Amino acid sequence: MITGRWIIPIEEIRENTGKVCGGKASALGILHRKGLTVPAGVCICTAAYETYVDRTGLRGRILLELSRKHFEEMRWEELWDISEKIKHMFTLTPFPGEMEKELEEGLASHFGDKAVAVRSSAPGEDSANTSFAGVHASYVNIRGARAILRHLRLVWASLWSDTALLYRKEMGLDILSSAMAVLVQEMIEGRVSGVAFGENPDNESEAVIEAVYGLNRGLVDGTVEPDRWNLARQTGSIKTHMPAEREKAVFAGGEGSELKALPEAFQKTPPLTPAEVLEVFELARKAENLFGVPQDIEWTFRDSTLYILQARPITTILREDRDEKRRWYLSLRRSFENLKELRKAIEEKYIPAMQAEARDLERENIERLSDSALAGEIERRAEIYRKWYDIYWEEFIPFAHGARLFGKVYNETINPEDPYEFADLLSGTEMLSLERNRKLEEISEKIRKSPELIQSIKEQIEAEETAPEKESRPEPEIVPAGETRPSDTDTRHSDTNRTELEGRPEIEAERKALTEFKEELDSFISRYGGSYSESPGAKKGLYRLLLEMALHPPAPMPAEKISSNRMQYLKEKFISGFEDKNKQCASELLDLGRASYRLRDDDNIYLGKIEAELKRAFFEGRKRLNERVHEEARLPEEAQAFYAPELAAELTKTLRDPSYSPKWKKPPLKSKILREKVKPRQLLGNPSGRGVAEGFAKVILKETDLFNLKAGEVLVCDAVDPNMTFIVPLCSAIVERRGGMLIHGAIIAREYGIPCVTGVPDATELIKNGDYLAVDGYLGIVTVLKRRE
């Protein structure tokens, strides 16, 4: 009999209840009726979810968040942000009174104080067309009706996880019509658990069984390596057995589960006997005969009884695994143990090696190379950069998930009012970009205290801006204010001028200050210079930037923006949310999250130094080419400041063979249709840095635009990367087209207490240089108060 309006026992589930009970519960209902052993339990049907989101107003709030930007334009960082905000709504929104009472009474009558598993069962989940494998949440070892209700909301919230949103998008499903049923089943604390594939995804003549000691969770999330058996699909005979190391297993503990070391006797013994392997195989075949297609099943042995926990078709899994984009995105979601291993490899292996390679490249005098040798050097450096670029995406980017994992755990444990409160606890960590910015401020402070140095830099900048542009012109040479620079046409007068000035103490002191300034600047570029440092005009731009900093009061440094009392409060708040035995693990997770947060920024600077050395060789080749060939063969003017593989390929061919006519491809110009036809007053994005500020817009469309930013302007760009953050102390606010609380612009903005709005569609198209903006980092709104005339 159906219990209440929203609770259906598994034995009452029928084949036609998929839209009410979801795919997972429907499959278990069929398995139960056919005599297979299934844990006792109930399904909280989709009507409960629909009632909850309607009566609490959540449906409208979810729609509002999803309408901030076209879903098709969202990057994974933005999906994660929106997901965290929506999921957090579920944890903060209580059940309507009568609904909570009815659900609590029904669950208490079924389970009392028994441990249960709370698992997703969305319509379409585990079906022949959409599997949703590993997308939605499940929780084990939950006791008591109130705890079940809390985890019920968490499972409902997982309907809006970033991976669930991405999956629905790729499957062409209507995201707003999504609903969720939830399975609540008695907890089966199996001695051995695993999965079985009725058909090997790699060999249709085989079946595959994987098994671990304890619970399945360790196998599913990759924490525990399973033993693996390949069997003949027709007979069930064992063809191969690949044993695991069997060092650890996941067991029920407290509320949830915990990873424990296995006793030595278990480490030496396979989790299944040959007879048990055959029993699991026969269970998989029974499930296949019931549903008509090979099944992927989860199972567990308690004592000698074999339970089937879930079953879903294999065919869909194979199709979705062929989606490379989604496979890559899911690969970012690493377990805590895997993230610790990644951190060790990054900090102890990759970063030192990357730094050493950058130093070796920096020491090479490429100006002395012949044209042919320089062509080879450009290609060699491109290979080196590609190697590190691949490592960056395969190792560094997945480690960035550590900050997201910490945010997820923080929100589910602490349930704060602000879903992004966790970012405050991660901030304040020492990052290379902050160290670099402090050094820039030290240099600008020396300029600020020296009127003579200010005047010398001003004169040099004016001279550079009024002189005709030449490819071969050297970088600026700053001389003492008032001293004449020798010219090619009148060396006698400049020599006389220098002779008259010799010995004057104030000139000598100024020369010394200038020498020290240039040496300090060269040292700065050597240590921190990223990919922009080798772009044409970078040093001239740096002079302008330093002068701008020197002519204005210093920006508050990050240390002044961070309250140590608040940091300590948040830390204690987080740690206190765990039982005593788990507090050490919580501290380790916080440390890992901070390392991930820091390296998410630092790794780009390390990679940027490798890229800068590639650009140095490329720009040397470009300079030679433009000096020696006719105008038609030169690199197109609009591509002068860029490095691109296709440009490099033509450049190296020309360096090796002067008679070769390069086939330059002009870089595509951004469309200006939006700028001409659309002039919105308000733009909506994601609030990513608290605060409100006003200022004139500085739109960054190319690298050299960075150095023209003035104090108090609003930085508007496609995305801030760590090689750009040296200009942030001058900004009043940041607006980015790309979105995410954990992208670089948002991170650095919070460190400096600067308002930041990310994920603003077409920001660099809709906002013009000189527009006067108001940026609200609390609400994620950018208002154009006055358009540039």
Side-chain angles (χ1 to χ4, degrees):
M1 177 180 291
I2 294 180
T3 303
R5 288 177 288 174
W6 298 304
I7 300 176
I8 304 175
I10 285 180
E11 57 268 22
E12 300 294 333
I13 296 175
R14 297 291 181 263
E15 291 187 29
N16 61 352
T17 56
K19 291 184 179 180
V20 176
C21 296
K24 189 175 296 179
S26 296
L28 288 177
I30 294 171
L31 293 168
H32 173 79
R33 292 202 315 277
K34 297 300 182 179
L36 279 71
T37 306
V38 174
V42 301
C43 173
I44 300 175
C45 64
T46 54
Y49 172 86
E50 301 281 8
T51 302
Y52 172 73
V53 296
D54 285 335
R55 290 189 184 177
T56 59
L58 270 182
R59 193 185 298 278
R61 293 167 63 193
I62 291 170
L63 176 61
L64 177 64
E65 289 302 324
L66 289 175
S67 64
R68 286 179 179 268
K69 190 174 185 178
H70 290 302
F71 196 80
E72 294 73 20
E73 297 177 9
M74 292 185 192
R75 291 171 54 88
W76 61 270
E77 300 103 327
E78 296 171 86
L79 282 175
W80 187 80
D81 269 15
I82 288 177
S83 164
E84 281 304 299
K85 189 177 291 186
I86 294 175
K87 288 192 301 178
H88 200 60
M89 292 177 188
F90 283 82
T91 64
L92 291 180
T93 305
F95 289 95
E98 75 285 357
M99 183 181 191
E100 182 173 35
K101 184 173 182 292
E102 185 173 329
L103 286 171
E104 187 174 349
E105 289 176 352
L107 291 168
S109 67
H110 274 90
F111 302 107
D113 199 38
K114 293 179 180 177
V116 301
V118 184
R119 311 169 72 195
S120 66
S121 183
E125 189 172 2
D126 296 346
S127 71
N129 296 315
T130 53
S131 78
F132 287 86
V135 169
H136 298 132
S138 63
Y139 298 88
V140 299
N141 201 29
I142 309 302
R143 294 178 185 271
R146 296 196 67 82
I148 294 173
L149 287 181
R150 182 166 70 88
H151 287 85
L152 169 63
R153 297 209 310 270
L154 291 176
V155 174
W156 280 346
S158 73
L159 184 68
W160 303 98
S161 72
D162 49 342
T163 46
L165 289 170
L166 182 63
Y167 187 85
R168 286 181 173 83
K169 171 187 172 184
E170 292 182 353
M171 295 302 295
L173 302 176
D174 182 1
I175 292 171
L176 293 176
S177 67
S178 301
M180 173 74 79
V182 177
L183 265 170
V184 183
Q185 294 176 279
E186 289 185 16
M187 179 78 178
I188 305 298
E189 295 187 42
R191 60 178 176 83
V192 175
S193 305
V195 297
F197 294 89
E199 182 181 293
N200 186 343
D202 298 321
N203 185 342
E204 63 182 16
S205 69
E206 294 180 345
V208 177
I209 294 172
E210 295 181 338
V212 296
Y213 284 105
L215 304 180
N216 248 349
R217 172 147 296 190
L219 187 157
V220 172
D221 67 15
T223 305
V224 180
E225 181 188 358
D227 277 57
R228 179 186 175 103
W229 289 265
N230 286 9
L231 299 86
R233 179 164 151 72
Q234 297 303 317
T235 64
S237 61
I238 297 175
K239 298 174 66 176
T240 60
H241 170 218
M242 289 163 279
E245 293 186 4
R246 306 190 202 105
E247 295 178 346
K248 299 178 181 180
V250 174
F251 298 96
E255 185 182 282
S257 59
E258 55 187 314
L259 187 66
K260 295 181 179 180
L262 275 175
E264 187 175 350
F266 287 86
Q267 293 180 21
K268 297 178 179 179
T269 307
L272 294 177
T273 66
E276 289 172 331
V277 171
L278 181 59
E279 189 175 352
V280 173
F281 169 78
E282 290 173 347
L283 179 66
R285 292 305 296 268
K286 288 177 183 177
E288 179 179 339
N289 291 334
L290 281 175
F291 295 110
V293 294
Q295 298 288 298
D296 161 18
I297 68 170
E298 290 188 26
W299 53 267
T300 190
F301 272 105
R302 183 167 67 183
D303 299 325
S304 59
T305 303
L306 177 60
Y307 291 81
I308 185 167
L309 305 178
Q310 76 173 46
R312 58 172 168 255
I314 293 177
T315 51
T316 300
I317 299 172
L318 293 182
R319 282 199 295 271
E320 76 183 38
D321 278 354
R322 293 191 184 105
D323 188 322
E324 291 299 321
K325 180 180 178 182
R326 183 168 181 273
R327 288 182 66 189
W328 174 81
Y329 180 69
L330 290 177
S331 76
L332 300 179
R333 309 178 71 86
R334 305 298 180 90
S335 69
F336 182 45
E337 295 298 322
N338 181 264
L339 286 168
K340 288 197 292 186
E341 293 174 3
L342 268 181
R343 178 185 180 180
K344 183 177 180 181
I346 289 169
E347 293 182 338
E348 297 180 8
K349 176 184 175 183
Y350 293 124
I351 288 179
M354 194 185 299
Q355 289 176 305
E357 191 137 40
R359 285 194 297 269
D360 289 343
L361 293 174
E362 187 180 11
R363 282 193 286 263
E364 293 177 9
N365 191 343
I366 57 175
E367 291 79 7
R368 296 183 178 180
L369 296 176
S370 67
D371 287 359
S372 178
L374 178 60
E377 183 63 15
I378 293 171
E379 292 168 343
R380 183 177 79 91
R381 291 180 179 222
E383 290 177 5
I384 291 171
Y385 174 69
R386 171 53 62 179
K387 174 190 71 176
W388 285 113
Y389 181 85
D390 289 343
I391 291 173
Y392 170 79
W393 281 95
E394 292 167 4
E395 307 290 342
F396 288 71
I397 289 293
F399 183 65
H401 179 60
R404 293 193 290 155
L405 174 63
F406 174 78
K408 178 178 182 294
V409 174
Y410 187 93
N411 285 342
E412 291 186 2
T413 305
I414 304 304
N415 197 23
E417 287 292 328
D418 179 1
Y420 301 137
E421 182 178 274
F422 74 91
D424 291 345
L425 188 50
L426 296 181
S427 66
T429 58
E430 186 55 46
M431 295 185 288
L432 275 177
S433 57
L434 299 181
E435 177 187 299
R436 175 189 59 196
N437 290 5
R438 279 195 297 270
K439 187 62 180 176
L440 265 181
E441 178 53 40
E442 289 175 13
I443 297 173
S444 66
E445 179 64 17
K446 291 179 181 179
I447 301 173
R448 192 177 290 122
K449 292 179 177 179
S450 173
E452 296 80 13
L453 191 52
I454 289 176
Q455 185 59 31
S456 295
I457 295 175
K458 281 183 175 179
E459 290 178 0
Q460 178 60 45
I461 292 173
E462 290 172 3
E464 289 294 327
E465 289 175 347
T466 56
E469 287 294 328
K470 287 186 180 180
E471 174 65 33
S472 58
R473 192 174 65 225
E475 291 287 2
E477 176 191 354
I478 295 181
V479 298
E483 181 176 336
T484 305
R485 181 180 292 102
S487 68
D488 294 332
T489 59
D490 194 357
T491 58
R492 180 178 59 82
H493 289 294
S494 66
D495 289 341
T496 301
N497 187 48
R498 288 179 179 274
T499 302
E500 291 175 353
L501 293 172
E502 287 295 338
R504 288 174 56 179
E506 63 273 20
I507 294 297
E508 292 301 321
E510 193 174 337
R511 280 180 178 170
K512 181 180 179 183
L514 286 171
T515 300
E516 291 176 352
F517 166 71
K518 288 189 285 186
E519 289 176 352
E520 192 168 12
L521 196 58
D522 287 340
S523 175
F524 172 86
I525 292 173
S526 176
R527 174 164 173 74
Y528 301 107
S531 60
Y532 298 129
S533 65
E534 292 301 327
S535 298
K539 185 174 281 189
K540 291 181 288 186
L542 197 52
Y543 286 152
R544 287 197 297 272
L545 181 70
L546 284 166
L547 183 61
E548 182 69 15
M549 294 175 68
L551 294 177
H552 293 83
M557 295 307 288
E560 301 173 41
K561 295 284 186 179
I562 299 167
S563 165
S564 58
N565 290 337
R566 175 166 172 75
M567 295 290 287
Q568 185 61 32
Y569 164 74
L570 291 176
K571 180 178 179 180
E572 291 174 358
K573 180 181 177 181
F574 175 63
I575 302 297
S576 65
F578 294 81
E579 298 177 356
D580 288 343
K581 62 181 178 180
N582 292 328
K583 290 186 185 298
Q584 180 59 36
C585 181
S587 295
E588 291 178 5
L589 179 59
L590 172 57
D591 182 61
L592 182 88
R594 284 176 167 168
S596 172
Y597 190 81
R598 180 184 69 251
L599 286 170
R600 178 78 178 94
D601 204 65
D602 289 357
D603 55 19
N604 282 261
I605 293 179
Y606 295 127
L607 183 64
K609 288 180 70 65
I610 298 287
E611 185 181 5
E613 289 304 316
L614 166 59
K615 284 186 173 183
R616 183 161 71 94
F618 174 78
F619 290 137
E620 171 65 20
R622 188 208 66 183
K623 182 178 76 172
R624 295 186 190 185
L625 177 67
N626 286 2
E627 287 175 347
R628 300 173 190 176
V629 301
H630 55 84
E631 188 172 347
E632 291 75 12
R634 293 177 183 173
L635 197 62
E637 184 177 348
E638 58 268 41
Q640 290 283 320
F642 296 94
Y643 165 85
E646 59 271 20
L647 296 177
E650 291 299 299
L651 177 62
T652 53
K653 289 178 183 177
T654 311
L655 287 172
R656 288 193 173 99
D657 181 6
S659 65
Y660 176 75
S661 297
K663 302 173 181 62
W664 303 116
K665 290 184 179 180
K666 296 182 180 181
L669 297 176
K670 292 188 176 181
S671 171
K672 295 188 177 181
I673 295 175
L674 285 173
R675 287 193 176 201
E676 295 168 357
K677 294 186 177 181
V678 182
K679 295 182 178 180
R681 184 172 182 272
Q682 274 197 344
L683 304 173
L684 193 63
N686 297 312
S688 301
R690 299 185 188 95
V692 177
E694 294 182 8
F696 291 101
K698 180 59 183 179
V699 183
I700 306 299
L701 297 177
K702 56 184 184 299
E703 293 177 0
T704 52
D705 293 338
L706 290 168
F707 301 106
N708 294 319
L709 183 127
K710 302 297 182 184
E713 289 184 325
V714 176
L715 174 64
V716 181
C717 61
D718 186 72
V720 175
D721 75 48
N723 292 307
M724 293 169 58
T725 54
F726 57 86
I727 63 173
V728 169
L730 283 173
C731 303
S732 61
I734 296 174
V735 177
E736 296 184 73
R737 182 191 64 81
R738 280 177 49 186
M741 278 292 288
L742 297 178
I743 64 173
H744 307 294
I747 289 173
I748 199 71
R750 288 193 299 273
E751 293 292 339
Y752 281 95
I754 295 173
C756 179
V757 178
T758 65
V760 179
D762 302 309
T764 58
E765 298 290 326
L766 297 175
I767 299 172
K768 293 183 179 181
N769 267 320
D771 286 350
Y772 193 74
L773 309 178
V775 181
D776 188 332
Y778 294 106
L779 299 177
I781 297 173
V782 180
T783 305
V784 182
L785 298 177
K786 185 178 180 181
R787 291 202 171 272
R788 184 193 67 186
E789 295 297 332

